[in-house]
Amino acid sequence: MNDPEITRYVVKALGKHNSINQITVDICEKTGMKWDEAQKFIETVQVEYEDEIIQRQRPLLVILATFSIITGLTLSIGMVVATMNGLIIFFLRMPIPYLGNIMIILAGLAMVGGGIMGALKKSK
């Protein structure tokens, strides 16, 4: 099947993170195509139009990555400031002072790292 209208629909739907099953149902209803044929068609479109699909998904991924980076920085910096002001947090009731503080700082840094990796990574 080489219908440009259906191809555009699939690219647009995949770019909006719609589920493949829902896209398959829609194609089967619109074209009368069988389920297996529709899924093979979607897979073909995914391969051929990968760059365009990624470009359509990019804004959402950048927003999520930015949110993660900002939240992680806020968490880490806030905990450093709180620690410098004398706040002691124990982690899992372990009697090790500042262990909870360190874990929260590391969690914030992990969020920053994950956000940067997510923003730079080519998604699939």
Side-chain angles (χ1 to χ4, degrees):
M1 165 149 238
N2 195 9
D3 186 358
E5 182 180 327
I6 299 297
T7 302
R8 279 194 308 269
Y9 169 76
V10 172
V11 169
K12 191 173 182 182
L14 289 172
K16 291 181 179 179
H17 299 279
N18 292 352
S19 74
I20 292 179
N21 286 339
Q22 184 59 45
I23 298 169
T24 306
V25 168
D26 293 343
I27 289 176
C28 290
E29 288 175 354
K30 288 180 180 180
T31 64
M33 198 183 296
K34 292 182 181 176
W35 185 270
D36 293 337
E37 293 173 12
Q39 285 195 323
K40 287 179 185 176
F41 177 72
I42 292 170
E43 289 173 11
T44 304
V45 170
Q46 276 181 311
V47 171
E48 289 180 18
Y49 294 90
E50 179 181 18
D51 292 337
E52 186 177 340
I53 292 168
I54 290 172
Q55 287 301 91
R56 288 177 176 269
Q57 293 174 344
R58 196 106 184 109
L60 176 63
L61 298 176
V62 169
I63 289 169
L64 292 174
T66 303
F67 178 76
S68 177
I69 291 169
I70 291 170
T71 304
L73 282 173
T74 303
L75 187 62
S76 294
I77 292 170
M79 186 48 59
V80 167
V81 169
T83 301
M84 293 174 88
N85 287 327
L87 178 67
I88 299 174
I89 299 176
F90 292 98
F91 183 68
L92 297 177
R93 298 187 184 255
M94 294 177 153
I96 302 171
Y98 299 106
L99 182 60
N101 301 47
I102 293 169
M103 296 303 289
I104 291 173
I105 291 168
L106 291 176
L109 293 175
M111 288 176 71
V112 171
I116 290 170
M117 287 173 41
L120 298 178
K121 181 181 174 189
K122 180 180 177 182
S123 67
K124 286 253 176 181

